[in-house]
Amino acid sequence: EVQLVETGGGLIQPGGSLRLSCAASGFTVSSNYMSWVRQAPGKGLEWVSVIYSGGSTYYADSVKGRFTISRDNSKNTLYLQMNSLRAEDTAVYYCARIGDHLYIDYWGQGTLVTVSS
Amino acid sequence: EIVMMQSPATLSVSPGERATLSCRASQSVSSNLAWYQQKPGQAPRLLIYGASTRATGIPARFSGSGSGTEFTLTISSLQSEDFAVYYCQQYNNWPLTFGGGTKVEIK
């Protein structure tokens, strides 16, 4: 059974840093495209970043230069390093597996990041 | 970036009735369109991919249609567990983009 479990969210001051983790089971992270998608309170879904199975990474313009996606193959875990956080980064962050044809087939339960002083 | 627009924003439907949700893309996405269902406090769940293929375990009352720029999600007979927010998403081009969602509420 595919499972994605995010951890690492919390309250952080503007300008601070946070690292989110997504522990995967039931499949191999490095064999799949993996993404982070976020949802601000009461708002819709926004794609944040992707890491390809080959290791290439891409980011939404809103986080480019501040966020870094990575994975640890030995731990079968995906990460999102978030630096220079802003109030507008406040959201639930979902880890997501991208299926063979680029739709998202599995989602984690999400972890809430609140950026506030 | 491809902009996805959903209508209506809110749809009030009685249980047992049919619901029709629309999604429009700002340029062609071929059939690279997915639909997700999200209930309060939960993660989205994949319903439809390839514009019309039901994901594993999705009931037959959910159906998708369309290609290019116009898409429809139909729920043939609404059950109590279907009241939720529905999002469309294109995966034809990066970045992946989502519509703003349609909330299906009880009339």
Side-chain angles (χ1 to χ4, degrees), chain A residues 33 35 37 39 43-47 50 52 94 98 101-105 107-109, chain B residues 32 34 36 38 41-46 49-50 87 89 91 94-96 98-100:
Chain A
Y33 289 12
S35 257
V37 176
Q39 186 171 37
K43 301 297 184 181
L45 300 164
E46 179 189 18
W47 172 78
V50 64
Y52 288 1
Y94 294 102
I98 295 181
H101 299 285
L102 298 186
Y103 54 87
I104 296 173
D105 59 0
W107 300 70
Q109 86 287 351
Chain B
N32 297 314
Y36 302 91
Q38 188 178 35
Q42 295 185 17
R45 176 176 71 143
L46 177 66
Y49 62 92
Y87 293 96
Q89 177 233 323
Y91 50 94
W94 291 99
L96 303 181
F98 296 86

Side-chain angles (χ1 to χ4, degrees), chain A residues 34-98:
Chain A
M34 297 292 297
S35 257
W36 290 95
V37 176
R38 68 184 181 184
Q39 186 171 37
K43 301 297 184 181
L45 300 164
E46 179 189 18
W47 172 78
V48 172
S49 181
V50 64
I51 183 166
Y52 288 1
S53 50
S56 298
T57 59
Y58 298 93
Y59 301 91
D61 288 344
S62 57
V63 307
K64 200 174 296 181
R66 300 187 298 122
F67 290 12
T68 303
I69 190 171
S70 63
R71 66 190 183 210
D72 184 329
N73 296 345
S74 67
K75 296 182 178 179
N76 209 34
T77 297
L78 180 73
Y79 300 100
L80 185 68
Q81 177 67 43
M82 303 185 295
N83 299 330
S84 303
L85 282 160
R86 307 166 180 168
E88 55 265 35
D89 296 319
T90 293
V92 173
Y93 284 74
Y94 294 102
C95 168
R97 190 182 86 165
I98 295 181

